[in-house]
Amino acid sequence: RATEIMNSAIIDVFSGIESEDYVNIITKDTGVISSISADSVKMNKLKANISRAVLEKAESSKDFYIYIPVGSLTKYPVLQGVGYRIPIKVSLDGVTKTDFEEEFIHAGINQVKNRIYIIVTARISIVSSFMTISETVSTQIPVSETIIVGEVPEYYGDKLGVVGR
């Protein structure tokens, strides 16, 4: 349920957004990519919008209950799923953390794949009359994926001075 709330909030924020809005590709006069830079102001606004949307969805969602049979609380496999069903309240705390993660992956000769993700983490609490447990739920959303193609040299060499073409 927490993942559904986070995904719903993220879909709301991402509607109408293009990944090109967040990454600036700088090219040389020849049209070759020289660098890629993230628009940090837009990225931070996106991060704040996602955090706010997740919090709003979490606050507007109602607590819900799960029911665990008493037999499932014992160590005996025969009793699993048997007995009176104990109601346990599950609520979303509204504590979220949003961060960016970036990675560069080798994608071939003189090619690099650049990926930027947003990682959203929320804490949920399971509350009953006899226990309280907090768990974190996390989801990863790709914001941008770019392949940078470098120039392939006409000549190459190694440590021994052998040169090929």
Side-chain angles (χ1 to χ4, degrees):
R1 176 121 166 121
T3 304
E4 290 173 17
I5 290 169
M6 286 192 302
N7 288 339
S8 174
I10 291 163
I11 288 169
D12 291 348
V13 171
F14 269 94
S15 62
I17 290 179
E18 298 294 328
S19 65
E20 294 86 27
D21 297 339
Y22 295 93
V23 178
N24 300 319
I25 299 174
I26 299 155
T27 59
K28 296 179 182 177
D29 293 337
T30 59
V32 175
I33 296 173
S34 62
S35 68
I36 294 178
S37 65
D39 189 333
S40 58
V41 172
K42 287 183 179 178
M43 297 281 272
N44 285 324
K45 284 182 181 178
L46 178 64
K47 179 179 168 180
N49 289 339
I50 288 174
S51 291
R52 186 173 4 100
V54 170
L55 284 173
E56 287 172 0
K57 291 261 185 195
E59 288 173 1
S60 67
S61 73
K62 296 182 178 167
D63 296 339
F64 62 97
Y65 288 87
I66 58 174
Y67 297 90
I68 299 177
V70 173
S72 296
L73 300 175
T74 68
K75 62 181 177 180
Y76 303 107
V78 167
L79 298 176
Q80 297 297 311
V82 177
Y84 175 74
R85 296 165 46 105
I86 301 170
I88 298 178
K89 180 180 172 182
V90 179
S91 62
L92 197 60
D93 281 349
V95 177
T96 62
K97 179 182 174 190
T98 308
D99 262 328
F100 289 104
E101 185 176 296
E102 183 175 22
E103 65 182 353
F104 289 92
I105 302 167
H106 176 71
I109 297 174
N110 284 355
Q111 293 182 9
V112 176
K113 187 185 298 185
N114 171 250
R115 290 182 180 161
I116 299 174
Y117 297 99
I118 289 182
I119 299 177
V120 181
T121 306
R123 190 174 71 200
I124 61 169
S125 292
I126 301 171
V127 181
S128 74
S129 58
F130 58 90
M131 71 172 182
T132 300
I133 300 172
S134 290
E135 288 290 326
T136 57
V137 177
S138 184
T139 188
Q140 184 177 29
I141 307 102
V143 175
S144 172
E145 183 171 281
T146 308
I147 294 180
I148 305 166
V149 180
E151 294 180 24
V152 178
E154 290 185 36
Y155 294 94
Y156 62 91
D158 64 9
K159 292 180 186 177
L160 300 174
V162 177
V163 178
R165 184 169 194 152

